[in-house]
Amino acid sequence: MSFRLADAHAHLDEPQLRNQKEAVLSRAREAGVNLIVNVGIGQESSRQVVETAARYAEVFATVGVHPHGAASVHQDDLKNLAQLAAHSKVVAVGEIGLDFYRRRSPEQVQEHWFREQLALAHTLGKPVVIHTREATAATLKILQEGRRHLLGGIMHCFQGSLEEAHAFLDLGFFLSFSGVLTFPKAEPVRQVAKKVPLDRVLIETDCPYLAPQPWRGQVNEPAYVTATAATLAQLHGISTEETARLTWQNTLAAFWLDGKGKNITVAEKSGRT
Ligand SMILES: [Zn+2]
Ligand SMILES: [Zn+2]
């Protein structure tokens, strides 16, 4: 493989992938995917993603409670997340945010725990991974209010407008594009991705969800991030190799794996180059 790719957002411990992790990671390596950020969505999930990150050199973890689970969070849970975050391979707090599309938890409850987890990230000295769906204005408002305490972050599966993209870029955030970028009807997302500065863009699978073309509808996995890389390359008129190089570097920068934070560097920990 002549290039290496990073998948900035995966859920390797969701039921669809959890029992075939070895095979999934081996296919990822064959595709050149040598860095995977395994994202927590709740208490138990956060414990699992850290365990997986501890086991595999190329896997890093984030801990947090997804807005869907906001209604069942207790104050003690934040302490548990903080304890999990002490592991050297935990690179961010996330995914946290607001989801007013499915509204599995009341809006105000989502907003409360979003703020609490942003504060947790500040205390822990870590960037944040943000999920927002049909809630961009409220998400931006909360991030802008807490701007002084923000240490950087990633808007995952970004599908907002160019104006929204700029608002998040102004906060110092990276924008991460998923397999949605390859969907025939996603022209608006492609138009935005085309204009995002190449030093602020990441690619992700959000696997097992959102498999890109030509695997759409199947269980997604990190190896498929190659399709999103190819689409991003086309949009910017650069090679897939160059896109891989840039998004790899951006992923290191976004999660402070380039030595900015106290995290170990990928070069040290990941055997492959
Ligand atoms: Zn999400
Ligand atoms: Zn996710």
Side-chain angles (χ1 to χ4, degrees), residues 20-266:
Q20 44 157 334
K21 246 179 269 173
E22 296 287 342
V24 163
L25 289 173
S26 136
R27 287 194 291 270
R29 283 177 212 123
E30 274 165 36
V33 182
N34 289 318
L35 170 58
I36 299 166
V37 180
N38 196 21
V39 174
I41 54 171
Q43 291 299 318
E44 177 57 16
S45 151
S46 294
R47 195 188 59 71
Q48 286 169 348
V49 295
V50 175
E51 229 173 66
T52 299
R55 195 170 319 137
Y56 301 99
E58 71 270 49
V59 181
F60 290 81
T62 75
V63 298
V65 179
H66 192 284
H68 287 338
S72 51
V73 185
H74 299 281
Q75 201 65 38
D76 277 355
D77 293 343
L78 295 183
K79 277 185 217 142
N80 295 337
L81 291 178
Q83 272 167 7
L84 288 169
H87 193 283
S88 64
K89 292 192 82 184
V90 174
V91 290
V93 170
E95 61 184 290
I96 59 174
L98 303 173
D99 194 313
F100 295 169
Y101 177 70
R102 294 222 172 100
R103 273 175 223 268
R104 289 200 195 146
S105 300
E107 286 181 16
Q108 281 173 331
V109 178
Q110 291 189 34
E111 288 178 357
H112 172 74
W113 291 112
F114 182 27
R115 286 197 175 92
E116 288 284 316
Q117 292 185 93
L118 286 171
L120 176 69
H122 176 75
T123 309
L124 296 173
K126 292 197 187 292
V128 286
V129 176
I130 308 289
H131 170 106
T132 185
R133 190 148 183 212
E134 308 246 319
T136 307
T139 302
L140 255 176
K141 185 169 169 274
I142 288 174
L143 291 174
Q144 282 163 346
E145 271 169 20
R147 181 172 198 144
R148 282 179 303 129
H149 299 299
L150 278 179
L151 299 168
I154 296 97
M155 295 308 299
H156 111 83
C157 194
F158 188 75
Q159 298 184 52
S161 67
L162 188 60
E163 197 187 347
E164 289 162 354
H166 281 295
F168 290 114
L169 291 170
D170 285 348
L171 288 167
F173 276 41
F174 289 81
L175 304 181
S176 180
F177 291 90
S178 69
V180 168
L181 203 62
T182 69
F183 295 175
K185 283 186 181 161
E187 195 50 33
V189 184
R190 280 188 289 277
Q191 287 310 315
V192 172
K194 205 173 172 171
K195 298 187 183 99
V196 173
L198 278 170
D199 60 347
R200 301 287 283 283
V201 60
L202 308 182
I203 48 175
E204 64 171 68
T205 55
D206 201 16
C207 63
Y209 319 106
L210 295 177
Q213 307 281 7
W215 300 283
R216 193 169 179 186
Q218 297 176 27
V219 173
N220 197 5
E221 59 179 67
Y224 298 168
V225 81
T226 44
T228 306
T231 302
L232 187 66
Q234 266 176 12
L235 289 171
H236 282 271
I238 58 176
S239 65
T240 304
E241 285 78 3
E242 181 65 356
T243 305
R245 192 185 66 76
L246 288 166
T247 51
W248 174 278
Q249 282 179 349
N250 295 344
T251 306
L252 298 189
F255 292 104
W256 304 359
L257 290 164
D258 56 358
K260 177 185 164 195
K262 288 187 188 130
N263 290 315
I264 40 176
T265 66
V266 170

